Amino acid sequence: MTDRELVELRERAARGDSDAVGQLVELAGERGDLAELRRLAEAGSSDATDELVQAAGELGDVAELRRLADGGNQDAADVLAEIEED
C-alpha cells in the first residue's frame, strides 16, 4: 500500500467508513504499529483495541498492557498477569 493510499484510507475511516477502519486495523496489526492501533482504539474501534492487546502481548509491551488494563480492559489485565507470572 502506498503512502497516498494509506492517507486516503485514514480519511475514509475518519469519515466513519467501517470498512476503512477494519482495513487500517488489519494493516496496523500486520505491521505491529501500536501507535496506529492506539489511535483507532481511542476513536472507538473495539477491533483495534483487541488487536492492540494482542500486539502488545506479543511484543511484551508491559507499559501498554498496563495502560489498557488501568483503563478497564480485562483482556489486557489477563495478558499482563500472564506476562508477570513468567
Side-chain angles (χ1 to χ4, degrees):
M1 173 167 287
T2 66
D3 288 343
R4 181 178 173 88
E5 290 171 328
L6 187 57
V7 167
E8 290 173 3
L9 195 58
R10 286 179 178 143
E11 289 172 354
R12 286 180 35 217
R15 290 191 304 268
D17 183 332
S18 61
D19 290 335
V21 171
Q23 286 180 287
L24 286 173
V25 168
E26 184 177 334
L27 289 169
E30 289 171 359
R31 293 189 323 261
D33 186 345
L34 298 186
E36 180 90 75
L37 290 169
R38 190 179 307 114
R39 185 184 65 74
L40 293 164
E42 289 171 358
S45 171
S46 60
D47 290 339
T49 302
D50 293 343
E51 189 69 33
L52 181 57
V53 169
Q54 181 178 338
E58 289 171 359
L59 295 170
D61 189 336
V62 173
E64 183 65 27
L65 290 167
R66 187 167 285 120
R67 185 188 73 79
L68 291 164
D70 289 348
N73 187 293
Q74 187 58 50
D75 292 333
D78 293 344
V79 172
L80 185 59
E82 288 176 21
I83 288 174
E84 291 177 342
E85 285 178 3
D86 293 335

